[in-house]
């Protein structure tokens, strides 16, 4: 097997919390948003990052692109150390790693025309020959009319804006595309259009993708492998069918069982694993296994010992003292 | 992807009839309040610039026999206590008042925006230093500073120079905009389109120029007009206190100053310079509102 | 009509007939709700499903006279609730109904709860606004209600402010306030959309449990067909300000009639299976509701449209026990609408 395109090791991001004094600040603790993530992404594959809000999936994405600085750990992209790259090297790296954001309204500069938004990467890299034609081709490619060049973001619907964001990212021909909840703000019928577009583009541009979503159904449709995150860590990692039909971590199972299936007959028969309460605060994560206060299987060892993410049963990695295969979908 | 009928309908409306610049102009023209303001402001500026040709008299020509005449056919706005033509002096006074207003507005906005953008965007020690400086500047009571400053520069002012006034008023005018801009930049910096620009490899200068500044245009224009108005008022205040531009050079402020002794018997002497100040300030603000809307792409009809 | 009455057993609790509501916008008058009729029976959960701009929220706001002031207004139709027409009520009479007999909860609990008052106080004030009870007694009721919606340590929590609650607890608190006066109808507008799935499941369970316990009827407004499958007894699908289909939940999922409903069901990714490489997609985008034509509003996106679809809006056709569909192809065996 070849080297992975992206290697993430022990990635950590702690956001220090301060108490403001009159002239000084005092650190009162830190939010452990990402707390030791390990992940390999092979060229050409699509890896899903799923979990509930606050689990650190979006932060992980921004750390990989170094849009925020990591506290510790390493990210190696195509053999280059991202976290220690100098400004110029980082700029060159970024061409190859692009991101599409969740919010189709906040992610496009309202003051720029479509020409300037989609063509921004081309301008930055001085590729301005045939500028209008190249931007027009990109619009074509994402299913928008090339005559939209002089329009402004507010003239577009959510789905069209998301297509603009995708075109902007593709303009610089990246190898890796990080998608941060790309369809969760869209209506169902539009969501399918954008998902299909992403599948087409993945093949056409040989893209490697990291797909972040809280919607587990969408992830099943589009990803080859799936990592489930809980409180800043990956708790289970495996190929798609493994995660969805033979999950082994009790959190994965509870999460999946909570998702309602659009089939009333099946839905009313499905077993539900109820979870008590809300996820604990990453400001003060529980001892031992972070999931133990909400886990239906928790025993003494879970309170004291943090289970490592290792291959256990079902052919994929799982961080649990008592893994057990179950199909809850 | 099959092109559906609605796509085709959407494409039919894609062509835009006007160029962008023309569209901005049309938006401004469509804003009636802004237009009225713009016309009046332009008229004021024109009459200030062309005062020597428009004015019926010499601004300093004394004509004691007709002193305090009140508005007449010969002296539309009446004459002052030395028989000088008020209308003429208003035209010449506009040169000083508008000149100071516009200069101060541009200078203080330039300083304020620079400080605010640098502090907000760069953060760290740059931000700490700049913002503490701003806080300190804000703690100085402006009127006291102006009075002391004008006293210290008295010899230059009595020589007829107006740059000391521009300097002094600018020094007390840039802080508010600096703070507002910094707050906006802090918010903008976290917006996803700024992250997107960084992810594309944009350098800091480009991010400031393309992502940050264009989104501050609304605030900057509004502030610019408020600053014009504020500076005119401050200049008038100083001149009214006898500390600004010295007589015989007329300004709206020192005209008010010399009129105050006659306020009970000859109120028109207060009326005309007062009106000039109020109307200018109001019109400049109208223009600001109109400009802000015209420069905002989301206000454009599709 | 007759079909609806045959299986309902008794008069419906709420009968909405040809309801019309508009929004005044810069672009023109938006016909947000354009002739919607439906019935809500005692103790049932009726889901209203649709995408943004379909009129599902506007319908419920119109019922309670909650359309944005000066912009939205009810322009026609009736909504009969216990012998009174909600659309004709004076503002004062509506206040007596709203909250007490028909309550509403929203997607965003933060906007519905007051940040500067204790949660318990807000609930007890709500009770005291409608009933003459002493302050301490109302507070006790508030604590009971918080317990009923599953908030742990309700007595302590009643003294908290909203910002001290998590998203799921805020939603529960809003539900507690809504059910404080034991309303006959609870309108829940996207009640779980902003929540994480595990919390969403908890909140849905609370709602359904309360329905059993208090015998309420629930109008559940949502875009999530999974939530519909889990919680609803009956579903009405809205598109472009109109009702296009209504069926029992089982019926709708097993045998959808309208091409839009079919497309919607097929375009959804599934947790329990993978649908080939590509999802079936509905092309295009929802219609503008400013001066809509008399054509079927879905026709521009419909793969099966014929000339008549561009000429007139299809009538509601009854298709067996309480089910209705508004499509020209319905009842025409020669007009195939399956791919």
């Amino acid at each position: 097997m070849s080297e992975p395109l992206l290697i993430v090791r022990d990635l950590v991001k702690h956001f220090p919390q301060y108490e403001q004094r009159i002239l000084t600040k005092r650190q009162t603790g830190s939010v452990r948003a990402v707390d030791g993530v390990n992940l390999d992404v092979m060229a050409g594959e699509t890896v899903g990052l799923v979990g509930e809000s606050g689990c650190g999936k979006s932060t992980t994405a921004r750390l990989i692109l170094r849009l925020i600085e990591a506290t510790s750990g390493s990210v190696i992209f195509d053999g280059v150390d991202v976290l220690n790259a100098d400004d110029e090297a980082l700029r060159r790296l970024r061409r190859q790693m692009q991101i599409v954001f969740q919010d189709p309204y906040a992610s496009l500069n309202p003051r720029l025309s479509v020409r300037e938004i989609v063509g921004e990467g081309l301008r930055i890299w001085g590729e301005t020959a045939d500028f209008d034609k190249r931007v027009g081709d990109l619009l074509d490619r994402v299913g928008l009319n090339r005559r939209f060049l002089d329009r402004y973001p507010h003239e577009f619907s959510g789905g069209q804006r998301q297509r603009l964001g995708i075109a902007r990212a593709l303009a610089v021909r990246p190898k890796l595309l990080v998608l941060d909840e790309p369809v969760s703000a869209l209506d169902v019928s539009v969501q399918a259009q954008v998902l299909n577009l992403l599948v087409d583009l993945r093949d056409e541009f040989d893209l490697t993708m990291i797909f972040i979503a809280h919607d587990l159904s969408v992830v099943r449709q589009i990803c080859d492998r799936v990592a489930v995150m809980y409180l800043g860590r990956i708790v289970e990692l495996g190929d798609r069918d493994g995660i969805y039909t033979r999950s082994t971590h009790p959190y994965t199972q509870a999460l999946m069982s909570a998702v309602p299936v659009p089939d009333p007959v099946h839905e009313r028969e499905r077993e539900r694993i109820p979870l008590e309460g809300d996820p604990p605060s990453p400001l003060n994560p529980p001892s031992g296994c972070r999931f133990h206060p909400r886990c239906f299987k928790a025993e003494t060892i879970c309170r004291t010992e943090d289970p490592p993410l290792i291959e256990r049963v079902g052919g994929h990695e799982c961080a649990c003292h008592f893994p057990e295969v179950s199909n809850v979908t | 992807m099959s092109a559906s009928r609605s796509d085709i309908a959407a494409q039919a409306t894609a062509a835009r009839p006007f160029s962008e610049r023309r569209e901005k102009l049309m938006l401004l023209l469509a804003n009636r309040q802004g237009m009225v303001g713009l016309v009046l402001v332009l008229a004021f500026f024109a009459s200030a610039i062309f005062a020597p040709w428009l004015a019926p008299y010499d601004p300093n020509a004394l004509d004691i026999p007709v002193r305090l005449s009140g508005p007449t056919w010969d002296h539309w706005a009446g004459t002052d206590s030395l028989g000088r033509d008020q209308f003429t002096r208003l035209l010449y006074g506009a040169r000083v008042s508008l000149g100071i207003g516009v200069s101060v507005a541009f200078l203080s906005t330039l300083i304020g925006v620079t400080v605010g953008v640098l502090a907000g965007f760069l953060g760290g020690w740059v931000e700490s230093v700049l913002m503490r400086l701003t806080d300190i500047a804000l703690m100085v009571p402006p009127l006291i500073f102006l009075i002391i400053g004008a006293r210290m520069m008295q010899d230059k002012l009595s020589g007829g120079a107006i740059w000391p006034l521009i300097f002094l008023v600018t020094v007390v005018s840039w802080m508010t905009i600096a703070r507002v801009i910094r707050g906006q930049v802090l918010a903008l910096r976290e917006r996803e389109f700024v992250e997107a620009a960084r992810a594309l490899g944009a350098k800091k200068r480009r991010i400031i120029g393309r992502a940050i500044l264009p989104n501050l245009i609304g605030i900057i224009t509004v502030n610019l007009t408020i600053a014009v108005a504020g500076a005119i008022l401050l200049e008038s205040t100083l001149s009214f206190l006898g500390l600004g531009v010295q007589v015989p050079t007329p300004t709206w402020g020192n005209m008010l100053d010399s009129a105050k002794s006659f306020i009970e018997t000859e109120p028109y002497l207060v009326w005309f310079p007062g009106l000039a100040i109020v109307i200018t300030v109001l019109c400049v603000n109208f223009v600001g509102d109109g400009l802000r809307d015209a420069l905002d792409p989301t206000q454009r009809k599709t | 009509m007759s079909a609806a009455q045959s299986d309902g057993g008794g008069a419906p609790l709420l009968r909405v007939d040809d309801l019309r509501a508009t929004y005044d916008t810069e672009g023109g008058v938006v016909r947000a709700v354009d002739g919607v009729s439906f019935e809500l029976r005692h103790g049932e959960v009726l889901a209203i499903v649709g995408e943004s701009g379909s009129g599902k929220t506007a319908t419920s706001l119109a019922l309670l006279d909650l359309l944005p002031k000066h912009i939205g207004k009810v322009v026609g139709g009736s909504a009969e609730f216990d012998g009174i027409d909600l659309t004709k009520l004076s503002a004062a009479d509506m206040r007596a109904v709203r909250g007490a007999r028909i309550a509403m909860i929203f997607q965003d609990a933060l906007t519905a709860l007051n940040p500067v008052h204790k949660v318990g106080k807000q609930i007890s004030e709500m009770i005291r606004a409608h009933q003459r009870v002493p302050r301490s007694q109302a507070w006790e009721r508030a604590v009971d209600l918080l317990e009923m919606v599953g908030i742990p340590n309700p007595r302590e929590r009643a003294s908290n402010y909203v910002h001290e609650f998590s998203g799921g607890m805020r939603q529960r608190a809003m539900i507690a306030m809504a059910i404080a006066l034991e309303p006959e109808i609870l309108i829940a507008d996207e009640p779980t959309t902003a929540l994480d799935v595990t919390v969403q499941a908890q909140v849905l369970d609370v709602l359904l449990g309360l329905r059993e316990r208090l015998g309420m009827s629930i109008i559940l407004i949502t875009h999530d067909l999974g939530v519909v499958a889990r919680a609803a007894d009956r579903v009405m699908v809205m598109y472009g300000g109109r009702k296009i289909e209504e069926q029992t939940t089982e019926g709708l999922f097993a045998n959808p009639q309208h091409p839009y409903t079919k497309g919607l069901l097929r375009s959804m990714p599934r947790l329990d299976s993978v649908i080939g490489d590509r999802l079936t997609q509905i092309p295009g985008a929802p219609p503008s509701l400013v001066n809509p034509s008399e054509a079927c509003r879905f026709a521009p996106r419909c793969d099966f449209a014929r000339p008549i679809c561009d000429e007139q809006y299809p009538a509601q056709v009854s298709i067996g026990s309480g089910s209705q569909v508004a499509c020209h192809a319905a009842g025409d065996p020669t007009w195939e609408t399956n791919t």
Side-chain angles (χ1 to χ4, degrees):
Chain A
M1 223 174 179
S2 57
E3 272 283 286
L5 179 67
L6 178 76
I7 304 168
V8 178
R9 286 289 172 273
D10 298 319
L11 194 59
V12 172
K13 177 65 184 181
H14 291 176
F15 291 102
Q17 299 294 296
Y18 296 107
E19 185 186 83
Q20 182 75 49
R21 300 278 185 83
I22 296 168
L23 287 171
T24 56
K25 289 177 188 172
R26 193 175 65 104
Q27 189 175 346
T28 53
S30 55
V31 172
R32 303 163 120 188
V34 175
D35 210 10
V37 163
N38 292 289
L39 183 68
D40 288 352
V41 180
M42 307 302 292
E45 76 171 343
T46 299
V47 175
L49 228 49
V50 302
E52 297 180 276
S53 46
C55 72
K57 52 193 193 298
S58 283
T59 308
T60 302
R62 283 168 171 73
L63 290 172
I64 290 172
L65 299 177
R66 210 172 139 195
L67 288 171
I68 48 179
E69 296 291 333
T71 306
S72 63
S74 77
V75 175
I76 310 290
F77 177 82
D78 215 5
V80 184
D81 181 348
V82 177
L83 301 190
N84 292 312
D86 62 31
D87 279 4
E88 206 36 50
L90 181 63
R91 261 174 28 90
R92 278 195 302 277
L93 265 173
R94 280 185 170 155
R95 276 199 78 160
Q96 312 190 24
M97 310 190 285
Q98 283 300 302
I99 178 164
V100 173
F101 297 95
Q102 165 176 11
D103 185 343
Y105 292 87
S107 59
L108 304 179
N109 187 340
R111 296 277 172 173
L112 297 186
S113 64
V114 165
R115 171 185 285 108
E116 294 306 319
I117 289 172
V118 174
E120 180 150 37
L122 298 177
R123 287 232 196 274
I124 288 170
W125 295 98
E127 298 172 11
T128 45
D130 289 332
F131 187 73
D132 279 10
K133 182 180 177 300
R134 288 184 67 179
V135 175
D137 290 347
L138 282 161
L139 290 183
D140 258 354
R141 197 53 216 88
V142 297
L144 291 173
N145 191 311
R146 55 195 311 148
R147 279 183 293 177
F148 288 168
L149 280 180
D150 288 313
R151 293 203 171 186
Y152 284 83
H154 71 272
E155 298 173 57
F156 294 92
S157 67
Q160 288 175 315
R161 285 159 163 260
Q162 228 34 351
R163 290 172 195 261
L164 288 173
I166 294 168
R168 168 177 64 193
L170 291 179
V172 293
R173 289 264 170 179
K175 288 183 187 163
L176 174 72
L177 190 59
V178 175
L179 300 135
D180 187 4
E181 303 267 12
V183 297
S184 54
L186 306 179
D187 274 319
V188 185
S189 74
V190 180
Q191 178 174 307
Q193 296 172 2
V194 173
L195 286 175
N196 283 343
L197 174 68
L198 287 173
V199 171
D200 295 344
L201 294 172
R202 177 170 67 191
D203 297 342
E204 189 179 328
F205 289 81
D206 288 324
L207 291 169
T208 305
M209 290 184 176
I210 296 179
F211 193 102
I212 297 160
H214 68 276
D215 185 332
L216 293 157
S217 313
V218 168
V219 169
R220 180 163 199 182
Q221 184 62 30
I222 199 162
C223 296
D224 304 312
R225 279 200 303 143
V226 180
V228 181
M229 288 187 72
Y230 187 78
L231 276 184
R233 296 252 176 101
I234 293 177
V235 295
E236 186 163 9
L237 175 64
D239 63 31
R240 169 172 64 184
D241 290 339
I243 292 287
Y244 282 86
T245 60
R246 299 182 302 278
S247 58
T248 58
H249 197 287
Y251 176 65
T252 310
Q253 292 161 2
L255 192 64
M256 302 247 174
S257 80
V259 179
V261 176
D263 174 350
V265 181
H266 181 186
E267 178 57 34
R268 278 155 207 189
E269 283 169 357
R270 281 173 72 208
E271 185 204 359
R272 283 258 308 278
I273 304 167
L275 280 189
E276 293 296 315
D278 303 294
S281 155
L283 193 59
N284 199 0
S287 64
C289 170
R290 288 165 183 221
F291 184 57
H292 86 257
R294 297 174 83 196
C295 185
F296 55 95
K297 281 186 187 168
E299 296 194 17
T300 324
I301 183 173
C302 304
R303 275 188 279 280
T304 53
E305 242 175 82
D306 194 5
L309 181 70
I310 50 171
E311 187 161 335
R312 291 175 198 253
V313 262
H316 54 255
E317 295 169 49
C318 171
C320 178
H321 292 297
F322 305 103
E324 210 176 339
V325 175
S326 166
N327 180 0
V328 290
T329 58
Chain B
M1 214 168 298
S2 64
S4 73
R5 288 191 269 171
S6 65
D7 284 345
I8 295 159
Q11 289 170 8
T13 57
R16 297 161 69 89
F18 302 112
S19 76
E20 208 182 311
R21 191 173 302 164
R22 193 136 163 233
E23 208 167 348
K24 282 179 188 169
L25 191 67
M26 284 170 51
L27 251 178
L28 187 61
L29 294 179
N31 180 332
R32 192 169 301 166
Q33 192 176 287
M35 272 319 292
V36 171
L38 185 66
V39 167
L40 284 175
V41 166
L42 287 178
F44 275 64
F45 272 97
S47 47
I49 292 165
F50 298 113
W53 292 275
L54 292 173
Y57 298 90
D58 182 308
N60 298 320
L62 307 185
D63 192 358
I64 303 294
V66 294
R67 63 189 288 267
L68 301 174
S69 71
T72 62
W73 278 113
D74 288 338
H75 300 281
W76 301 345
T79 55
D80 65 9
S81 57
L82 298 173
R84 293 176 296 200
D85 183 53
Q86 275 266 99
F87 180 68
T88 304
R89 288 182 70 78
L90 276 176
L91 289 180
Y92 277 88
R95 303 184 119 188
V96 178
S97 293
L98 291 177
I100 290 179
V102 170
S103 315
V104 168
F106 274 99
L107 282 174
S108 64
T109 304
L110 188 70
I111 296 171
V113 170
T114 310
V115 168
V117 167
L118 289 180
F121 191 74
L122 296 178
W125 65 267
V126 178
E127 180 175 23
S128 302
V129 169
L130 288 176
M131 291 331 285
R132 287 304 82 76
L133 207 69
T134 310
D135 289 343
I136 291 167
L138 269 171
M139 277 183 242
V140 179
L143 211 54
I144 294 177
F145 173 85
L146 287 174
I147 290 169
I148 295 171
R151 280 267 155 75
M152 287 168 69
M153 300 175 115
Q154 195 68 46
D155 48 335
K156 305 226 166 50
L157 283 168
S158 35
I162 62 168
W163 67 262
L165 274 183
I166 295 177
F167 169 78
L168 289 171
V169 179
T170 301
V171 167
V172 298
S173 302
W174 59 273
M175 294 82 75
T176 325
I177 181 75
R179 284 190 142 190
V180 172
I181 291 284
R182 171 178 161 270
Q184 287 289 314
V185 172
L186 284 181
L188 279 171
R189 202 176 59 172
E190 303 301 319
R191 294 278 291 277
E192 288 181 340
F193 64 79
V194 175
E195 271 196 309
R198 287 175 56 209
L200 283 166
K203 294 178 179 163
K204 282 187 178 123
R205 205 186 325 155
R206 187 184 174 87
I207 294 174
I208 291 178
R210 304 273 291 177
I212 305 277
L213 282 180
N215 284 290
L216 297 173
I217 284 177
I219 293 184
I220 293 174
T221 38
V222 170
N223 182 76
L224 210 54
T225 54
I226 293 174
V228 170
I232 290 176
L233 291 176
L234 273 181
E235 181 275 324
S236 308
T237 312
L238 271 190
S239 299
F240 181 75
L241 294 174
L243 293 165
V245 176
Q246 302 297 306
V247 284
T249 309
T251 80
W252 295 344
N254 67 21
M255 287 172 74
L256 272 180
D257 178 36
S258 39
K260 67 181 180 226
S261 350
F262 304 98
I263 194 158
E264 303 212 327
T265 51
E266 313 289 338
Y268 65 91
L269 285 179
V270 179
W271 276 96
F272 289 106
L275 264 178
I277 293 171
V278 169
I279 292 174
T280 310
V281 168
L282 211 61
C283 289
V284 167
N285 281 334
F286 285 166
V287 174
D289 286 351
L291 265 180
R292 183 195 51 204
D293 291 348
L295 294 172
D296 183 353
T298 61
Q299 297 285 321
R300 246 162 267 173
K301 299 267 189 309
T302 54
Chain C
M1 248 338 115
S2 59
Q5 276 161 358
S6 64
D7 71 354
L13 184 57
L14 175 71
R15 176 183 283 149
V16 176
D17 191 35
D18 199 29
L19 187 69
R20 289 167 195 273
T22 58
Y23 286 124
D24 288 336
T25 67
E26 266 181 59
V29 177
V30 174
R31 285 157 70 174
V33 183
D34 202 10
V36 169
S37 307
F38 66 92
E39 291 176 354
L40 178 69
R41 293 164 210 159
H42 289 275
E44 79 169 343
V45 178
L46 170 70
I48 305 182
V49 181
E51 299 181 83
S52 31
S54 64
K56 56 189 194 301
T57 295
T59 300
S60 60
L61 295 179
L63 288 177
L64 291 183
D65 192 23
L66 286 174
L67 291 165
K69 278 215 168 51
H70 310 302
I71 298 168
K73 58 175 179 289
V74 175
V75 292
S78 64
E80 196 184 312
F81 168 66
D82 193 22
I84 46 179
D85 183 350
L86 295 175
T87 63
K88 309 250 174 344
L89 284 184
S90 69
D93 289 344
M94 177 52 93
R95 268 197 299 279
V97 171
R98 198 197 302 137
R101 303 189 63 192
I102 305 179
M104 186 154 181
I105 58 174
F106 303 90
Q107 174 175 341
D108 183 3
L110 267 188
T111 57
L113 296 169
N114 189 331
V116 300
H117 291 304
K118 290 173 180 165
V119 170
K121 174 161 180 176
Q122 289 185 59
I123 299 174
S124 50
E125 289 296 314
M126 162 86 192
I127 295 168
R128 281 163 49 80
H130 288 269
Q131 295 169 1
R132 292 174 63 92
V133 286
R135 200 161 272 142
S136 60
Q137 200 181 325
W139 182 269
E140 285 307 310
R141 278 280 304 286
V143 173
D144 290 348
L145 286 161
L146 289 176
E147 185 169 22
M148 205 189 282
V149 295
I151 287 185
N153 310 323
R155 192 160 298 278
E156 266 166 56
R157 283 302 191 166
S159 303
N160 281 163
Y161 293 91
V162 187
H163 71 266
E164 298 170 284
F165 277 26
S166 68
M169 292 222 290
R170 285 172 191 162
Q171 213 65 18
R172 288 167 194 260
M174 185 164 57
I175 294 172
M177 190 149 87
I179 60 163
L181 300 162
E182 303 196 356
E184 289 134 274
I185 300 175
L186 180 66
I187 302 178
D189 187 359
E190 303 273 11
T192 60
T193 304
L195 305 175
D196 279 318
V197 275
T198 56
V199 182
Q200 169 180 321
Q202 297 165 3
V203 170
L204 269 186
D205 287 347
V206 166
L207 274 179
L208 296 179
L210 288 171
R211 191 253 308 241
E212 296 293 318
R213 213 156 136 183
L214 306 174
M216 293 186 298
S217 304
I218 297 178
I219 297 179
L220 178 66
I221 297 167
T222 181
H223 70 280
D224 186 334
L225 290 165
V227 169
V228 173
R230 178 171 291 173
D233 301 313
R234 222 147 41 85
V235 193
M236 86 183 221
V237 184
M238 287 191 70
Y239 187 84
R242 297 198 168 179
K243 177 173 94 174
I244 56 153
E245 180 162 2
E246 181 183 328
Q247 288 214 52
T248 61
T249 305
E250 282 79 5
L252 188 94
F253 284 91
N255 198 9
Q257 293 296 313
H258 197 285
Y260 173 69
T261 317
K262 292 179 187 176
L264 209 54
L265 283 171
R266 271 203 299 266
S267 65
M268 280 189 74
R270 303 276 298 234
L271 182 78
D272 50 351
S273 60
V274 179
I275 311 157
D277 259 0
R278 295 172 61 89
L279 296 160
T280 312
Q281 64 187 42
I282 303 175
S288 155
L289 297 181
V290 178
N291 297 322
S293 68
E294 267 318 293
C296 170
R297 306 227 162 124
F298 186 61
R301 304 174 75 185
C302 184
D303 288 335
F304 311 99
R306 293 185 183 177
I308 187 167
C309 302
D310 285 335
E311 284 157 22
Q312 68 181 74
Y313 193 84
Q316 297 276 353
V317 182
S318 186
I319 45 164
S321 62
S323 303
Q324 292 165 314
V325 60
C327 177
H328 289 297
D332 181 348
T334 65
W335 193 337
E336 182 61 45
T337 57
N338 287 313
T339 25

